[in-house]
Amino acid sequence: MNENHNVFVNLGYFEKAPIFDAVFQNFNNETINEEAENEKILSFELGYGFRGEKFAANINLYHTRWNDRSYTDRFQENGEQFFVNLLGVNAVHQGAEFDFNYRPSTKLTLTGMLSLGDWKWDNDVLGVQVFDETNQPVGDPIDLYIEGLKVSDAAQTTAALGLNWEMMD
């Protein structure tokens, strides 16, 4: 907008090949999963930035929809190895991010960031088959009622403060 203020928008759609473990079941290349699909990702982001003489900051809002994600997992029960292959898992990642830096003097800079996310599974996964280590089905397929549960494996809320002090040129 001018030298101090900017606004940005990002929009993207792409497809990503499923992870290796979802294509080659039981962690080998002998059993190929013909049902594995490309993951489909649609994402948009809207943000504002300010640049001043001593202070700069950015704030943005994001929304990402992941469709047809694939997951595999191995687990052990009573000394036996089992695995599952989850296909068609959907998730929505959305949130807000803020970062800043403030330079009160030429030698001192204060930095910070805050990220608040709300990442949730968007559907239940029905008919999941458990397999043994020889890739044979075990029992009846199970249903995973995960819709609305939080996506794990990454922090959804993070914050940081930093202080940079230049002791000498």
Side-chain angles (χ1 to χ4, degrees), residues 13-61:
Y13 173 82
F14 65 96
E15 292 190 15
K16 176 179 171 264
I19 61 173
F20 182 86
D21 296 342
V23 176
F24 299 99
Q25 293 182 331
N26 202 17
F27 302 96
N28 68 49
N29 62 359
E30 297 171 9
T31 309
I32 297 175
N33 181 2
E34 301 290 341
E35 296 178 17
E37 291 187 41
N38 282 351
E39 296 180 9
K40 295 151 192 82
I41 299 100
L42 174 64
S43 183
F44 64 86
E45 174 182 35
L46 173 65
Y48 166 76
F50 173 79
R51 303 287 175 272
E53 186 176 318
K54 294 186 175 218
F55 181 76
N58 298 298
I59 187 166
N60 72 304
L61 307 172

Side-chain angles (χ1 to χ4, degrees), residues 1-168:
M1 298 179 343
N2 63 34
E3 68 182 46
N4 297 104
H5 304 275
N6 69 74
V7 175
F8 61 90
V9 175
N10 291 316
L11 174 64
Y13 173 82
F14 65 96
E15 292 190 15
K16 176 179 171 264
I19 61 173
F20 182 86
D21 296 342
V23 176
F24 299 99
Q25 293 182 331
N26 202 17
F27 302 96
N28 68 49
N29 62 359
E30 297 171 9
T31 309
I32 297 175
N33 181 2
E34 301 290 341
E35 296 178 17
E37 291 187 41
N38 282 351
E39 296 180 9
K40 295 151 192 82
I41 299 100
L42 174 64
S43 183
F44 64 86
E45 174 182 35
L46 173 65
Y48 166 76
F50 173 79
R51 303 287 175 272
E53 186 176 318
K54 294 186 175 218
F55 181 76
N58 298 298
I59 187 166
N60 72 304
L61 307 172
Y62 66 90
H63 179 91
T64 302
R65 177 171 294 281
W66 293 73
N67 287 334
D68 295 320
R69 293 183 83 174
S70 300
Y71 289 95
T72 59
D73 195 17
R74 254 184 204 264
F75 61 95
Q76 190 171 11
E77 187 173 302
N78 298 326
E80 291 185 65
Q81 291 282 330
F82 298 96
F83 79 96
V84 294
N85 191 8
L86 306 175
L87 302 173
V89 183
N90 302 331
V92 174
H93 295 198
Q94 59 189 3
E97 299 172 328
F98 172 73
D99 67 86
F100 75 92
N101 66 59
Y102 173 62
R103 194 171 176 117
S105 74
T106 58
K107 301 275 188 189
L108 182 64
T109 305
L110 178 65
T111 63
M113 63 77 66
L114 175 65
S115 179
L116 302 171
D118 183 27
W119 303 358
K120 292 184 179 174
W121 297 117
D122 199 37
N123 66 316
D124 294 327
V125 184
L126 307 177
V128 176
Q129 183 64 59
V130 176
F131 296 91
D132 65 17
E133 58 189 24
T134 64
N135 205 41
Q136 296 302 309
V138 177
D140 294 327
I142 58 174
D143 297 335
L144 300 176
Y145 298 101
I146 61 172
E147 183 176 356
L149 295 178
K150 294 281 189 181
V151 174
S152 63
D153 84 356
Q156 295 187 30
T157 301
T158 58
L161 280 176
L163 186 65
N164 295 325
W165 179 34
E166 185 179 320
M167 293 174 45
M168 60 185 82

